[in-house]
Amino acid sequence: MAKILITESVHPIGPELLTAAGHTVVYADRDMDVIRREIVDADAVLVRIIELPGSLLATAKNLKIVSKHGVGYDNIDLDYCKAHGVAVTITPNANSLSVAEHAFTLMLTLAKNIIPVSKEYRTVGFAAKNHAPGIEMTGKTLGLIGMGRIGKHILHMCRDGLDMHVIVYDPYISEVPEGVERVGELSELLRRADVVTLHCLLTDETRKLIDRERLALMKPTALLINCARGPIVDEAALIEALENGRLAGAGLDVTDPEPVAPTSPLFKLPNVIVTPHYAPATVEAATRVSEIAAENINAVLAGKEPAGRIV
Ligand SMILES: NC(=O)c1ccc[n+]([C@@H]2O[C@H](COP(=O)([O-])OP(=O)(O)OC[C@H]3O[C@@H](n4cnc5c(N)ncnc54)[C@H](O)[C@@H]3O)[C@@H](O)[C@H]2O)c1
């Protein structure tokens, strides 16, 4: 019987699969004291976004697998895991559709002024219809940064659903689907796009990829959507651009830091929508991700090859 530490809340289906396999499950509910105490003799850790640096993993003497609930593994010290024979798994595709739908929703909600107009309807009444007009997205240009699992879904939603022209910047792909244009320079995408949506990994190369200079290249009418990772955008520069009308709006499911400080201008700016890393929190994705994350643990502990192994 193995001990599994679950650092953050997950859909119950995963823990059920773990206990059905004869394992003991311990919940930390984001409490770092509990994590530090329970990881010491844990055989497996099921983690969402809590940071697992090598210094913490090194205290886990029985650790055989870190199972990421999701796909963004930047919170796990992969070098430590590689060096110490700890498997690391992700749950590819399990939440991609939900994240793409969230990005799509942020884009349209901003474009149509849904939040300010519905608020004004309650306060000023029908005159809210005189709010500044929204934007029609059909035929506009989507700038997609990172055409992986999530990027491909949003590409289809925008190209086939809204007849948008899609331009892609991703230096690591070999081809793009028919009807989609690939650009070699990020600056070209930023200059041309009406909406820029981020779906790349957070790496040393993509940290602050969207900085002050690059924000300045975007159209003042453009929207920026980030459902990837907060540090990909220089948040101070983004706030400045939004405050100065250098950018029309931003839809952010991820921020830097996370959570957003209660005093952050992001909560005050009328042209910003922030959600708390909520994109994959749909019934369907939560179930699939929890299930696959648990199956990965059960596989490794049974000496089998897990589906989502990255280390
Ligand atoms: N909001 C959320 O809760 C949530 C949920 C799931 C995933 N994510 C984020 O979304 C990211 C993408 O997920 P995915 O499943 O599509 O991953 P993926 O690995 O399938 O795709 C990532 C893409 O980014 C590209 N890329 C890498 N470096 C790049 C660069 N410098 N410039 C442009 N593109 C680059 C890769 O070539 C790849 O095509 C994850 O890394 C994660 O950070 C967020």
Side-chain angles (χ1 to χ4, degrees):
M1 186 167 70
K3 172 174 164 181
I4 322 296
L5 171 62
I6 302 185
T7 57
E8 295 134 288
S9 67
V10 298
H11 186 281
I13 193 162
E16 280 162 23
L17 288 171
L18 295 167
T19 47
H23 306 311
T24 303
V25 172
V26 176
Y27 299 90
D29 200 19
R30 296 185 62 84
D31 184 329
M32 283 313 293
D33 290 335
V34 177
I35 293 173
R36 278 189 281 269
R37 186 179 71 228
E38 299 295 343
I39 201 169
V40 173
D41 60 348
D43 295 277
V45 177
L46 198 164
V47 66
R48 293 186 71 164
I49 56 172
I50 290 266
E51 291 288 328
L52 294 179
S55 55
L56 178 61
L57 293 171
T59 65
K61 300 301 174 205
N62 295 339
L63 193 60
K64 293 158 193 78
I65 168 171
V66 175
S67 174
K68 165 76 190 193
H69 181 285
V71 291
Y73 47 80
D74 47 277
N75 57 323
I76 304 165
D77 188 333
L78 294 192
D79 291 339
Y80 174 89
C81 293
K82 268 180 212 150
H84 293 84
V86 175
V88 180
T89 55
I90 58 171
T91 59
N93 291 317
N95 62 19
S96 310
L97 198 51
S98 286
V99 177
E101 284 184 1
H102 197 83
F104 191 76
T105 305
L106 289 175
M107 173 182 85
L108 286 179
T109 307
L110 281 167
K112 308 291 171 190
N113 296 325
I114 297 294
I115 292 184
V117 170
S118 62
K119 270 190 193 158
E120 281 169 29
Y121 198 0
R122 291 177 203 186
T123 53
V124 304
F126 209 53
K129 75 199 299 302
N130 301 324
H131 188 95
I135 306 165
E136 196 170 75
M137 294 313 293
T138 301
K140 296 287 191 306
T141 297
L142 178 82
L144 171 63
I145 301 180
M147 201 195 70
R149 291 172 289 256
I150 299 169
K152 281 181 196 143
H153 281 303
I154 187 118
L155 181 158
H156 288 300
M157 289 171 193
C158 291
R159 184 194 61 182
D160 304 333
L162 290 176
D163 204 15
M164 291 179 81
H165 179 59
V166 181
I167 52 180
V168 174
Y169 173 76
D170 186 331
Y172 301 103
I173 49 165
S174 47
E175 53 185 25
V176 292
E178 213 183 304
V180 169
E181 188 187 347
R182 185 178 187 180
V183 293
E185 295 296 330
L186 180 56
S187 53
E188 183 185 343
L189 179 145
L190 295 171
R191 277 195 193 93
R192 290 175 53 197
D194 297 298
V195 182
V196 172
T197 188
L198 301 171
H199 299 288
C200 53
L201 302 167
L202 173 62
T203 60
D204 289 344
E205 190 189 15
T206 62
R207 194 172 292 277
K208 296 216 169 130
L209 184 73
I210 306 301
D211 60 10
R212 184 168 277 101
E213 289 69 36
R214 290 196 169 121
L215 283 166
L217 299 176
M218 291 176 66
K219 297 180 186 180
T221 50
L223 305 173
L224 177 70
I225 309 296
N226 188 5
C227 286
R229 283 293 180 266
I232 298 173
V233 177
D234 179 338
E235 201 158 285
L238 173 66
I239 290 169
E240 208 178 285
L242 290 161
E243 283 175 341
N244 298 340
R246 278 284 313 120
L247 194 64
L252 311 171
D253 186 50
V254 289
T255 54
D256 182 23
E258 216 161 65
V260 176
T263 53
S264 169
L266 290 178
F267 280 141
K268 300 193 183 83
L269 285 161
N271 49 351
V272 174
I273 302 175
V274 207
T275 50
H277 211 128
Y278 182 71
T282 60
V283 175
E284 294 79 3
T287 312
R288 281 192 299 264
V289 176
S290 180
E291 191 173 8
I292 297 170
E295 281 169 354
N296 283 335
I297 292 177
N298 283 343
V300 167
L301 295 181
K304 296 180 189 155
E305 188 55 24
R309 186 176 198 128
I310 53 165
V311 168

